[in-house]
Amino acid sequence: MSAADSRLAAAVRGRDAAAVGELLAAGSDPDALGEDGLPLLCAAVASYDVPVAEVLVAAGADPYRRLPDGSTPLLRAVDCGLVAGVTALLDGTGPVTDAAVRAELLDRARQWHATGTLAELRRRTGAPGPVVRVRVRDANAFTDYEQFTLGGVTVREGHSEILGELEARFGIRTPFEELLGRALASPGPEHADWWGSFIVLCRRGDDETWGSAAALRSHPDPLRRIFAAQLLKAVAETGPYERRALEIFLPWAVEEKDPAVLCAVLNGLTDHDTPEAEAVGLSFLAHPDPDVRCMVPYTLMLSDRLLTTPVALDAVLTLVRDEDADVRRVAGAWLAEYPDNTPEIADALASLLGHEDQMARVWAVHGLAQRDDPRCVAGERLVGPLEREEWPDTWMLDGVRRYEERLRDGSARKL
């Protein structure tokens, strides 16, 4: 291994995408082999390092390179259940036109999907156990995976999503019921396989998909109703279904008894700035389930930078005093952005400075600082340490600084 290849391999092992990019730009070989004799792209795939894999492929690394065991880096990404990795490798090389390659990828994904991730892992490793099982979150997709390690091999349970992605890319229209079945076989709405089916159907966004989802509104299975509500909302956002969505969600919210489904239905109403949607939302102000009460502020009519009716504002002020911490946090975030500067709103925000949730305290300080309320200064000390680099936008975190600048230049509002 050359010195340049060694430096590139070290950067790949260190999961340093920026360093990998710099070395490739300086002339390192994107198809360089590691100490195990495999392309470094395989190392990125095995460590679930999508950013490094993307950089390597963008520089020319070949995801279809045939390896000594007959696999390819792309097939290994399928085996790992690395959904974002499969997508990145496919996006980085353009459409797959070779029919044999398409068939091989589909067959591999179908094998994992049909057998089941854990059963297929046992079959491939021949190891009896024990299995190390953890739930991991994909930071790129904000979805959860079950991850299994057995016999030194680690895979994630994302094969159904990979299969759906491959089918869609290769022009295969998988029936609605089959995609729904894959979603329902997952551990729940936050799982990658659920969202894999969801995304495929969202992209279709046609009358057949709309009708199939709408028909699930009266299904006895609450998970089917949740899937339907999520899908109808998403399709209505991108297609000519806005009015039809309102006609479904308004009566559905009134009739729905399951709190989890009701939350999904109310979420579908958040895109509709109408008196009817607001009235339905306000009817749940005293609902026994706190998750339902959390949805109320999102259903309120918004106009002129969030100005709303006195009745709706009073409802949110009521929710700030709710017994549930999450409800208070949501209400506080809504009030922090509300442009009115009444003492009632400022006092409600100040009441959240001691909230147990740090994000609630951040919103409270932000809202007070926006109003030039001096309580924001002491409130900032109550927020606690923050990792600023983890915030995509630090505007909220700098509210007190801007308030103090206004105090110095005399532009702060007098309370």
Side-chain angles (χ1 to χ4, degrees), residues 351-364:
S351 73
L352 298 175
L353 292 174
H355 195 286
E356 53 264 54
D357 182 83
Q358 186 181 50
M359 195 65 221
R361 301 195 298 274
V362 170
W363 275 114

Side-chain angles (χ1 to χ4, degrees), residues 9 12-13 15 36 38-49 52:
V12 171
R13 287 195 304 272
R15 303 173 66 89
D36 56 3
L38 296 174
L40 293 176
L41 182 56
C42 291
V45 167
S47 61
Y48 295 90
D49 194 337
V52 167

